[in-house]
Amino acid sequence: MAKQPKRIQAWTGDRQAAHAVEAAVKLVKANATAKFDESIEIAVNLGVDPRHADQQVRGVVSLPSGTGRDVRVAVIAKDAKAAEATAAGADIVGAEELVERIQGGFMEFDRVIATPDMMALVGRLGKVLGPRGLMPNPRVGTVTPNVAQAVKDAKGGAIEFRTEKTGIIHAGIGKASFTEDAILANVRALVDALNKAKPSGAKGTYIKKISLSSTMGPGFKIDAGSLGV
C-alpha cells in the first residue's frame, strides 16, 4: 500500500463524526497548512431531486465576511447603464462587441450581469455561459436595471448557489486566513439562504448533510442541529 504524504499524515481531527459548526471551522482552519491561502468550501446535500422543476434550489446570498477573492465582473449594458456599471467598479463593460468577444472565446470574468434590454443579445450566449453557471438570470439578481448595485454586491461578497444534478450545493465561502468568526458568519448566512430557498416540492429532510473543507485539507462533517436546521 502506498505511503500517505506527510501532509495527509499530519491531518488532525475525527473525519467521521459530525461536529458542532464551531468545532468544524476550528478543525478546517487547523488543517489548512498549504503554503498559500486555501479557500474554505462548503458542501450541502439537500433532500431534493433537481430534475423536477418544483425541487430546484437556486439563489444568491451576500456573505457578511466576503469571499476573500477578487471577483471579475462583466456587465452587458449600453449608454447610461454602461457608465453606471463602470463607475461601480465593473471590470469589463460592453454591449454587442462584448457579446461577440464572449462568443469568440473570451472568458476572463467570474460573474456576468446584464440589463433587461440586453437579454435579446445575451440569449446568444446560452450555450457558452450556461454550462459554466454564468448565464445572467433575474432570479439571482444578475439581470437587473440596477447594475451599479449588482456590481457592488458581486464585488462585496455576493455568491450564487444552485443544486447540482445530485442535489448537492457547493460553494466557496472564504479563505483559511479568515477568523473563525468570519467563516462562521458566512456558513450561517449560506445555510439560512438555503432554508429560505426551500422549494415547494421538497419532502422529508431538506438539509441532509453538511461538510466543510479547505482546498488541500480534509473535509469535516457539521451537525446540522448546531446550525438550527
Side-chain angles (χ1 to χ4, degrees):
M1 184 175 178
K3 187 177 180 181
Q4 290 183 325
K6 290 183 179 179
R7 175 180 58 82
I8 295 179
Q9 292 181 41
W11 285 348
T12 61
D14 188 342
R15 302 202 293 278
Q16 301 304 316
H19 303 272
V21 63
E22 295 84 357
V25 169
K26 189 181 294 290
L27 284 167
V28 168
K29 277 181 61 67
N31 284 281
T33 57
K35 294 181 180 180
F36 62 93
D37 193 7
E38 297 181 50
S39 294
I40 303 297
E41 299 163 359
I42 192 169
V44 184
N45 189 344
L46 300 177
V48 298
D49 184 347
R51 292 175 299 178
H52 301 289
D54 65 346
Q55 294 188 49
Q56 294 176 2
V57 180
R58 185 173 186 180
V60 63
V61 58
S62 291
L63 300 178
S65 307
T67 62
R69 60 191 291 259
D70 182 26
V71 179
R72 300 167 299 174
V73 179
V75 176
I76 300 174
K78 61 182 180 181
D79 303 329
K81 293 299 179 181
E84 288 178 22
T86 300
D91 299 276
I92 308 127
V93 181
E96 290 88 349
E97 72 284 1
L98 178 53
V99 169
E100 290 176 3
R101 287 179 68 193
I102 295 172
Q103 286 178 310
F106 176 74
M107 293 297 295
E108 295 179 16
F109 45 79
D110 306 296
R111 187 73 56 84
V112 183
I113 295 166
T115 52
D117 61 307
M118 290 284 101
M119 288 311 293
L121 277 174
V122 175
R124 303 175 191 171
L125 303 176
K127 292 183 179 180
V128 179
L129 299 180
R132 295 175 170 83
L134 293 172
M135 190 66 179
N137 188 312
R139 289 176 57 190
V140 294
T142 48
V143 176
T144 174
N146 192 353
V147 290
Q149 188 60 53
V151 170
K152 291 175 183 175
D153 288 345
K155 291 282 189 179
I159 63 167
E160 292 183 37
F161 59 82
R162 66 174 178 175
T163 44
E164 298 174 358
K165 292 180 180 179
T166 54
I168 296 175
I169 297 269
H170 281 103
I173 56 166
K175 294 286 186 178
S177 59
F178 281 20
T179 65
E180 291 177 18
D181 285 345
I183 297 171
L184 281 168
N186 283 354
V187 170
R188 291 189 172 113
L190 177 61
V191 172
D192 183 57
L194 291 177
N195 268 322
K196 291 177 179 176
K198 181 178 179 179
S200 59
K203 306 297 182 184
T205 302
Y206 175 53
I207 294 183
K208 299 171 70 175
K209 296 179 183 177
I210 307 173
S211 65
L212 199 66
S213 63
S214 63
T215 306
M216 302 296 290
F220 291 95
K221 299 174 185 177
I222 294 175
D223 177 5
S226 67
L227 287 164
V229 298

